[in-house]
Amino acid sequence: MFYREAGEFKTSYAADQAIFPIAQDRIALVVLVLAAYVGVPLIANGYWLDAILIPFLVYSLAALGLNILTGYAGQVSLGTGGFMAVGAFSAYKLAIGFPHLNVVLVIVIAGLIAAAVGIVFGVPSLRIKGFYLAVATLAAQFFLVWLFNRVPWFTNYSSSGVISAPLRAVFGRVYITGAEASSVDKYLFALTTVSLLALAAKNMVRCATGRAWMAIRDMDIAAEIIGIRPLATKLTAFAVSSFYVGVAGALWAFVYTGTVEPLAFDVERSFQILFMIIIGGLGSILGSFLGAAFVVLVPVLLSNAPGFLGLSIRVATVTNLQSIIFGALIVFFLVVEPNGLARLWQVGKEKLRLWPFPY
Amino acid sequence: MSAEPGERGSDGVLLEVSNLRLAFGGIQALFDVSFDIRRGEIRAIIGPNGAGKTSMLNCINGFYKPQQGTITYKGRAVHQMRSHDAAKNGIARTFQNIALFRSMTALDNIMTGRLLKMRANLLWDALYLGPARREELAHRAFAERIIDFLEIQAVRKIPVGRLPYGLQKRVELGRALAAEPELLLLDEPMGGMNVEEKQDMSRFILDVNQEFGTTIALIEHDMGVVMDISDRVVVLDYGRKIADGTPDQVRTDPAVVEAYLGVDHGPAPAEEKPCISSTPS
Ligand SMILES: Nc1ncnc2c1ncn2[C@@H]1O[C@H](COP(=O)(O)OP(=O)(O)O)[C@@H](O)[C@H]1O
Ligand SMILES: [Mg+2]
């Protein structure tokens, strides 16, 4: 408590309002960025990049998007998969239809299309809340996947219903999609996209925009009485969230898997991403990353751990084990620590500040 | 803080309520109530539990829609306005059962009170550059003035849900003040407080009124406080106005004495006795 009670040592509000007010945090961040940009490309092999780090980044972005809507603005959504599909299929149609459009623009526009769709499906949130809103977004989820499955135009009349990302470069010969794209380039592109969007999200949630979202989440009636417009605020959250989720969908199709069918974005994907933010921490940027890391890494650990220990467990057993562990963790976090891993991290840091004193 | 200062109770009428009628099904919450609030005064609204005091404030800031009657604010009929329009027109309020944003810090709660004054949009916020940054810092400075005024510096970074009740009431007052209201509606700001906390709160209310010229409508059960700080008092009972006047006129009014004796609420002029109200509705 010493740290808190001692109050403001900052000499200006600008310093106190800085994105990472504590020096150690800033140093840690610089180290992390260096490690991600320099260390990882030097060390990591193709398996780590393609099967772990790139999906981790894409999942993090989707989780971040959902966290903006559910964690910050308090609007439950089970339509994440559907909005990812909007991003993925928009990017595909744009890339095919406008071959000379830079892939960065393709992805941004795909995100904007997802945002527009998000706004449409966000309108009911003015009237309905909680469980009923979740059901409404679930309807969006089913409708969108059905649409991409049923209307062949979206897959350019591919007979299998599967789309394959065309070869595209950010500039020069730096390909980030298609067969010739190298894993390192794809990774660096995903890393940059996710870092920039995470920075933007962090900025939004510490400004007026984020305060309006959180006010609506905590008590919408009081928010309206102090002058916040509920519909506009909720729709902004739907738009921003869907933009993030849409970009994540586009990255999924273009950078992560390369080929994709609508079923990759079915309701299970929505639940998976919801679990990430529950485990990682609702209303926390860091939590979105922690949750994604957890959900991506635990299966890897579980399938490798028995081998390390010299045990042989059947694959089916491992899969079951995963479900059991996730189920238990979700119950644990919902009941015991609704703020997730991010909160545990916070508590750890507070303990560290007081160390070696217990209080 | 407020735009137009004015001498206590001497300027014109800021808000006028006439023949207001509000019913919930068969319950007449307000029946033909008329009164006015003058610029710069502290206007107390008192009455037993269920008298319709909270409903009155809810009508004034557009949260309830009265079935009949008019509310005129700054010379304009406003009884059909929405809550956020009321906020835009300079009406801020606190609630009987604290309505703070519980997981946000005291500072962030107070900053939400300034949202209406902020212009920057989503994109600037995302970049935290230019107008967004300038605005954040300017409004932060204003919020800090309120924090100093209410003496809550030590708790500014604590989520309000973890603060004790008395401090939460203070933060809620801070959030209302952050909007620089012309008319401040306070619904039992001292409900559930001990004597010392009540004294602090009374001092803040008087300071707001005197230093910033903010007009205040105050619902309060503690008659000692009401007599001390209000300029005029309106008394409601079962949705009807039964008295209206200066504290001295009202305390001796036979109808008021009867209303208060009739309901188990202690005699009206209970000067020093801390009379802690239960929190109804
Ligand atoms: N939203 C509502 N729905 C139904 N009845 C209400 C509502 N609000 C107030 N009332 C009723 O109106 C009457 C006056 O309530 P209220 O204004 O809260 O009284 P006070 O604040 O003076 O204690 C009470 O009988 C109460 O039950
Ligand atoms: Mg009341």
Side-chain angles (χ1 to χ4, degrees):
Chain A
M1 289 313 284
F2 221 75
Y3 178 87
R4 274 183 200 284
E5 305 286 77
E8 295 295 273
F9 291 143
K10 314 265 169 15
T11 50
S12 73
Y13 298 135
D16 193 41
Q17 301 273 77
I19 186 160
F20 294 106
I22 299 175
Q24 282 94 326
D25 285 353
R26 282 197 295 274
I27 295 169
L29 192 74
V30 170
V31 171
L32 190 66
V33 168
L34 279 178
Y37 271 96
V38 183
V40 169
L42 285 176
I43 301 168
N45 57 24
Y47 168 75
W48 266 87
L49 292 171
D50 290 332
I52 295 176
L53 290 170
I54 293 175
F56 158 70
L57 287 167
V58 175
Y59 273 122
S60 298
L61 189 60
L64 190 55
L66 181 62
N67 220 336
I68 286 171
L69 184 63
T70 303
Y72 283 96
Q75 311 298 305
V76 185
S77 169
L78 292 175
T80 316
F83 295 118
M84 285 178 83
V86 174
F89 283 87
S90 304
Y92 175 70
K93 287 301 289 186
L94 284 163
I96 301 295
F98 306 92
H100 297 295
L101 199 59
N102 187 284
V103 68
V104 176
L105 268 180
V106 166
I107 291 174
V108 169
I109 298 172
L112 292 175
I113 293 172
V117 176
I119 289 176
V120 171
F121 285 104
V123 170
S125 68
L126 183 67
R127 291 257 170 261
I128 56 178
K129 293 178 192 171
F131 175 73
Y132 296 96
L133 182 60
V135 172
T137 56
L138 198 58
Q141 164 72 44
F142 284 120
F143 169 74
L144 289 168
V145 171
W146 173 86
L147 186 71
F148 295 124
N149 252 329
R150 280 309 168 89
V151 181
W153 180 79
F154 288 110
T155 52
N156 257 12
Y157 307 96
S158 113
S159 54
S160 56
V162 176
I163 55 171
S164 298
L167 187 68
R168 291 288 182 273
V170 179
F171 51 80
R173 299 193 53 79
V174 185
Y175 293 107
I176 53 126
T177 83
E180 277 172 50
S182 81
S183 296
V184 170
D185 287 344
K186 289 198 283 189
Y187 162 77
L188 288 175
F189 180 74
L191 179 65
T192 308
T193 311
V194 174
S195 305
L196 291 178
L197 286 176
L199 183 67
K202 180 84 187 164
N203 282 339
M204 278 185 271
V205 299
R206 71 202 175 105
C207 278
T209 302
R211 271 184 227 114
W213 288 341
M214 292 185 272
I216 287 283
R217 170 195 68 192
D218 280 5
M219 191 170 273
D220 51 357
I221 290 172
E224 182 165 4
I225 281 172
I226 63 172
I228 295 171
R229 290 180 174 275
L231 185 61
T233 307
K234 287 176 184 174
L235 290 187
T236 324
F238 268 97
V240 173
S241 164
S242 307
F243 177 84
Y244 277 61
V245 170
V247 170
L251 289 182
W252 180 291
F254 276 34
V255 178
Y256 170 32
T257 58
T259 62
V260 71
E261 54 176 340
L263 278 181
F265 303 116
D266 67 359
V267 66
E268 250 178 74
R269 188 72 58 223
S270 298
F271 276 109
Q272 190 186 24
I273 289 159
L274 185 64
F275 293 162
M276 286 180 189
I277 67 170
I278 291 172
I279 291 174
L282 290 166
S284 159
I285 305 282
L286 175 67
S288 315
F289 287 90
L290 295 179
F294 194 88
V295 173
V296 172
L297 284 179
V298 164
V300 177
L301 286 179
L302 278 182
S303 36
N304 289 329
F308 283 130
L309 298 175
L311 303 170
S312 65
I313 301 181
R314 280 183 305 124
V315 178
T317 318
V318 170
T319 317
N320 283 338
L321 213 57
Q322 276 175 29
S323 305
I324 293 169
I325 290 181
F326 279 128
L329 276 169
I330 285 156
V331 172
F332 168 81
F333 279 112
L334 280 178
V335 174
V336 181
E337 186 52 81
N339 297 317
L341 290 171
R343 176 71 194 146
L344 295 181
W345 168 251
Q346 195 90 35
V347 170
K349 279 208 297 190
E350 266 168 38
K351 289 248 158 68
L352 206 62
R353 281 209 287 264
L354 305 173
W355 192 83
F357 306 108
Y359 297 105
Chain B
M1 261 184 262
S2 174
E4 280 140 278
E7 267 176 56
R8 285 167 66 101
S10 63
D11 284 355
V13 170
L14 180 64
L15 181 113
E16 183 162 17
V17 174
S18 19
N19 306 104
L20 211 64
R21 234 181 248 211
L22 175 75
F24 298 100
I27 302 171
Q28 287 284 346
L30 293 169
F31 193 81
D32 237 10
V33 179
S34 305
F35 72 101
D36 61 9
I37 301 176
R38 294 182 198 145
R39 224 175 251 287
E41 77 173 338
I42 296 182
R43 182 69 144 133
I45 303 174
I46 67 169
N49 286 336
K53 307 180 295 296
T54 299
S55 303
M56 189 71 236
L57 294 196
N58 284 340
C59 289
I60 293 177
N61 83 333
F63 190 54
Y64 287 170
K65 301 270 169 287
Q67 279 96 2
Q68 269 183 47
T70 55
I71 299 176
T72 316
Y73 174 67
K74 294 203 269 187
R76 279 179 33 215
V78 293
H79 47 279
Q80 291 304 330
M81 73 182 168
R82 306 276 314 259
S83 298
H84 48 249
D85 296 322
K88 221 183 280 165
N89 287 333
I91 302 178
R93 73 172 287 185
T94 67
F95 297 82
Q96 187 169 347
N97 311 310
I98 303 179
L100 283 169
F101 308 123
R102 293 180 58 83
S103 58
M104 297 168 72
T105 64
L107 174 63
D108 273 338
N109 267 279
I110 292 172
M111 289 290 277
T112 59
R114 303 223 31 96
L115 278 174
L116 269 181
K117 309 227 175 270
M118 301 181 86
R119 291 274 163 273
N121 62 22
L122 191 67
L123 286 181
W124 283 120
D125 276 3
L127 298 171
Y128 196 63
L129 286 174
R133 200 181 118 87
R134 273 198 303 278
E135 250 191 359
E136 278 293 317
L137 296 179
H139 290 285
R140 169 78 193 268
F142 190 93
E144 289 291 338
R145 275 172 52 202
I146 291 173
I147 287 172
D148 287 344
F149 172 73
L150 295 174
E151 298 160 16
I152 48 177
Q153 296 92 337
V155 300
R156 59 155 86 72
K157 293 283 179 75
I158 298 180
V160 291
R162 285 198 241 153
L163 295 179
Y165 189 78
L167 281 179
Q168 291 195 19
K169 286 252 170 195
R170 251 191 236 191
V171 175
E172 204 190 16
L173 175 62
R175 184 181 66 188
L177 290 177
E180 299 177 74
E182 278 181 73
L183 175 60
L184 180 58
L185 312 174
L186 303 176
D187 196 345
E188 303 198 18
M190 292 164 239
M193 285 187 168
N194 63 33
V195 181
E196 203 174 312
E197 290 172 321
K198 281 187 186 185
Q199 280 169 353
D200 282 340
M201 188 53 92
S202 305
R203 182 163 52 85
F204 293 135
I205 293 171
L206 276 175
D207 282 353
V208 168
N209 175 250
Q210 284 169 356
E211 288 180 26
F212 313 123
T214 310
T215 309
I216 294 173
L218 167 75
I219 296 177
E220 185 46 53
H221 276 301
D222 186 325
M223 293 305 287
V225 171
V226 170
M227 297 298 148
D228 275 352
I229 70 174
S230 56
D231 296 303
R232 291 191 302 152
V233 184
V234 56
V235 190
L236 300 180
D237 191 21
Y238 292 113
R240 289 163 200 272
K241 181 169 99 168
I242 56 168
D244 191 350
T246 65
D248 282 331
Q249 287 167 345
V250 162
R251 82 184 332 157
T252 50
D253 191 304
V256 177
V257 175
E258 197 194 330
Y260 271 80
L261 287 177
V263 185
D264 187 18
H265 234 291
E271 205 69 55
E272 283 303 315
K273 211 174 356 164
C275 145
I276 299 194
S277 66
S278 60
T279 41
S281 67

